[in-house]
Amino acid sequence: QVQLVESGGGLVQAGGSLRLSCAASGVSLIRSAMAWFRQAPGKEREFVAAISQRTGSQPYADSVKGRFAISKDNAKKTVFLQMNNLKPEDTAVYYCAAGERVIMSQLGSQSAYDHWGQGTQVTVSS
């Protein structure tokens, strides 16, 4: 059974940093594309960042480029999202997702991922 458990969320002031973690079990990080999505209050869930299992490619949403960085530790089966220079508009619930059949063109597509975590709240105050 696949489980993805996010942690590291919290309250931070604008300009601050947080590092989110996603502990995975029942899934291989070597064979799976991993991604972070987020959902702000009253908005649709949106893509943040992903890492391809085939090429290591790491696409990012335009809104987070240069501020966020995704990485993973295959041995520890953990995916990270380092978030720097946080802004109030980054406030959202952040979700980790995994999928073994995700192709390059689908890395930013929610429907391509089979497994999801419960999410961790990130709140950025101004």
Side-chain angles (χ1 to χ4, degrees), residues 4 6 37 45 95-98 110-111 113-118:
L4 302 174
E6 302 95 336
F37 291 80
R45 189 159 57 183
Y95 297 92
C96 176
Q110 297 182 53
S111 60
Y113 293 88
D114 301 312
H115 309 290
W116 292 83
Q118 292 300 305

Side-chain angles (χ1 to χ4, degrees), residues 61-108:
D62 287 343
S63 58
V64 306
K65 278 181 183 176
R67 300 188 298 122
F68 290 12
I70 188 171
S71 62
K72 63 176 181 173
D73 185 324
N74 290 334
K76 294 183 178 180
K77 301 189 79 173
T78 304
V79 183
F80 304 97
L81 185 68
Q82 178 66 43
M83 306 186 296
N84 299 324
N85 190 22
L86 282 160
K87 303 176 180 181
E89 51 264 43
D90 294 319
T91 294
V93 177
Y94 284 71
Y95 297 92
C96 176
E100 291 192 359
R101 295 165 292 184
V102 181
I103 61 176
M104 282 291 292
S105 61
Q106 297 173 324
L107 285 171

Side-chain angles (χ1 to χ4, degrees), residues 2-4 24-34 53 72-75 77-79 98-101 115:
V2 177
Q3 275 196 317
L4 302 174
S25 60
V27 63
S28 168
L29 266 60
I30 295 174
R31 293 195 300 270
S32 300
M34 303 298 297
Q53 74 276 39
K72 63 176 181 173
D73 185 324
N74 290 334
K77 301 189 79 173
T78 304
V79 183
E100 291 192 359
R101 295 165 292 184
H115 309 290

Side-chain angles (χ1 to χ4, degrees), residues 40-61:
K43 294 187 177 181
E44 299 283 323
R45 189 159 57 183
E46 64 176 5
F47 169 73
V48 175
I51 185 164
S52 168
Q53 74 276 39
R54 294 179 176 85
T55 67
S57 175
Q58 298 174 19
Y60 293 89

